Amino acid sequence: MTPEQYVQTKAARSGSSFYYAFLFLPPPRRAAITAFYAFCREVDDVVDETSDPSVAASKLAWWRAQVLQSFEGRPEHPVMRALMPHCPLYQIQAEHLLQVIEGCQMDLEQTRYLDFANLQRYCHLVAGVVGEVACNIFGRQSEQTLAYAHKLGQALQLTNIIRDVGEDARRGRIYLPVNELQRFGVKANELLMRESPWGYSDRFEQLMQFQAQRAHALYDEALALLPQCDRRTQKPGLMMAHIYRTLLEEIEAEQFRVLHQRIGLTPLRKLWIAMRTNWRGR
C-alpha cells in the first residue's frame, strides 16, 4: 500500500463528515487535505484507542519526534510521507502539527475544564489550528480568512462536544465547563452515569441549550468573518459548517438525548448537504 492509499483509506474509514467536503476539491488540494486529516486521525486515535495513559503518552512523544524528523527530510510513517510533499505548497508548518499533538496530550492530562476560557485553549489546538491549515489548503487571499477558520473550528468542536457528552463520559471526560455545570445545577456524576433518569433532567436540557446557543453564535460569527473574495475556495469549510449545524439542530430536536446514544446524520444526508452547498456556493 502506498502512502497515498494509506491516508485515503484512513480518511474514508473514519466516517467523518469532513470526508464529504473533501470530495469536491481539485485532486492536488484533495490529496493534501486527506493526508493532513489522516495525520489528525492518527494522533487522535492514540488517545481514544490506547487504554494505558503512559503508553498513549509514549506514542504521542513518538509522533512529535516523527514530525520533527519529517521536516528535516526523513519521514518514516506513511502519513508523513504522504503529507510532506504538500507542506511547502500550503504553508503547513511543523508547529501546526505539534500543536495538534499538544491538544491530544491535553486529553491525557485533563478531564475537566473549569470555565469556557480554559476550554477555548483546547479547542484552539484541536480545531482552530486544524481550521487554519485546512483554509490554507483550500486556498485563500485574505488574512481575515484565518480568523474565520479559527472561529469555525471552534464552532465545529463545540458541536462535537455536545454530540459526544455520553461517549466522553464513558472515558471519564467532561468537556462542559465546571462553572457552567454548577450554574445549571448539573452534577458531574449525573453525566458519568449516562443513563436515564439520572442523567436527563430539565437542568441538563437547560445546560445543553446554553451550549447549543453558544455554538450557533460561533457559526454566525465565523460566517460573518469570511471575506467575499474567499467564499468560492472555502466552500469545503462551508460544507462542514452546514453539515455540523444540521447535526446540532438534530440534537436539539432530540432534546439533547446524548448521554446514552450518539446522534448523527446518515452518509447520504451529509453528501446531500455538501452537494447543495457546492451548488449554491454558500
Side-chain angles (χ1 to χ4, degrees):
M1 181 182 291
T2 67
E4 291 71 26
Q5 290 170 331
Y6 180 94
V7 297
Q8 177 63 33
T9 300
K10 186 76 177 179
R13 283 180 178 172
S14 73
S16 170
S17 301
F18 287 85
Y19 180 72
Y20 297 92
F22 301 166
L23 296 175
F24 297 87
L25 285 166
R29 296 185 189 274
R30 185 166 67 244
I33 195 65
T34 299
F36 175 63
Y37 178 72
F39 167 82
C40 295
R41 287 258 39 98
E42 288 283 351
V43 296
D44 189 62
D45 287 348
V46 166
V47 176
D48 287 344
E49 298 180 2
T50 307
S51 57
D52 187 331
S54 63
V55 173
S58 296
K59 289 183 177 182
L60 290 181
W62 183 90
W63 272 106
R64 288 190 191 91
Q66 177 64 192
V67 167
L68 296 175
Q69 180 178 315
S70 298
F71 277 83
E72 291 171 355
R74 295 177 290 116
E76 292 180 356
H77 195 282
V79 162
M80 298 308 299
R81 289 166 59 196
L83 178 60
M84 290 312 299
H86 304 289
C87 291
L89 295 173
Y90 302 113
Q91 305 171 51
I92 304 172
Q93 303 170 17
E95 184 60 26
H96 290 132
L97 307 187
L98 294 174
Q99 285 181 313
V100 174
I101 295 173
E102 183 184 347
C104 293
Q105 184 75 36
M106 288 181 70
D107 278 329
L108 296 180
E109 300 171 350
Q110 188 170 349
T111 59
R112 303 288 190 277
Y113 293 85
L114 294 179
D115 53 31
F116 183 62
N118 198 261
L119 180 62
Q120 279 182 304
R121 170 63 180 167
Y122 172 76
C123 292
H124 164 72
L125 293 171
V126 301
V129 173
V130 173
E132 177 179 339
V133 172
C135 85
N136 283 337
I137 293 174
F138 298 157
R140 65 174 178 85
Q141 300 178 43
S142 173
E143 284 294 308
Q144 185 174 317
T145 303
L146 290 177
Y148 144 82
H150 276 272
K151 188 76 71 174
L152 178 58
Q154 190 176 36
L156 299 177
Q157 186 61 29
L158 289 182
T159 304
N160 277 338
I161 288 171
I162 291 168
R163 178 195 63 194
D164 295 340
V165 170
E167 188 173 321
D168 291 329
R170 180 171 55 82
R171 297 188 173 105
R173 303 179 198 154
I174 298 176
Y175 292 96
L176 305 176
V178 171
N179 68 336
E180 294 173 6
L181 292 177
Q182 294 171 341
R183 173 180 170 184
F184 289 94
V186 175
K187 300 183 185 304
N189 72 306
E190 293 177 330
L191 302 184
L192 296 174
M193 285 182 179
R194 298 172 49 245
E195 293 182 2
S196 181
W198 305 108
Y200 297 123
S201 64
D202 290 341
R203 293 172 287 110
F204 175 75
E205 187 169 348
Q206 290 165 8
L207 168 67
M208 298 304 289
Q209 285 173 342
F210 180 79
Q211 307 302 318
Q213 288 166 5
R214 173 187 283 147
H216 279 301
L218 286 168
Y219 282 114
D220 290 339
E221 291 170 20
L223 295 175
L225 284 170
L226 180 58
Q228 187 63 39
C229 64
D230 283 337
R231 285 189 172 270
R232 182 182 63 82
T233 57
Q234 294 298 316
K235 277 197 292 187
L238 295 175
M239 292 175 191
M240 291 309 309
H242 292 314
I243 290 172
Y244 267 70
R245 202 164 194 179
T246 301
L247 170 62
L248 180 58
E249 291 166 352
E250 191 78 10
I251 293 169
E252 290 175 293
E254 292 286 332
Q255 296 180 300
F256 302 100
R257 292 304 195 257
V258 293
L259 291 175
H260 71 291
Q261 64 181 342
R262 181 186 174 104
I263 297 172
L265 305 179
T266 65
L268 184 60
R269 192 171 179 190
K270 293 175 185 177
L271 181 60
W272 166 247
I273 294 169
M275 293 172 62
R276 184 182 62 191
T277 305
N278 188 52
W279 294 332
R280 295 169 63 184
R282 58 185 176 85

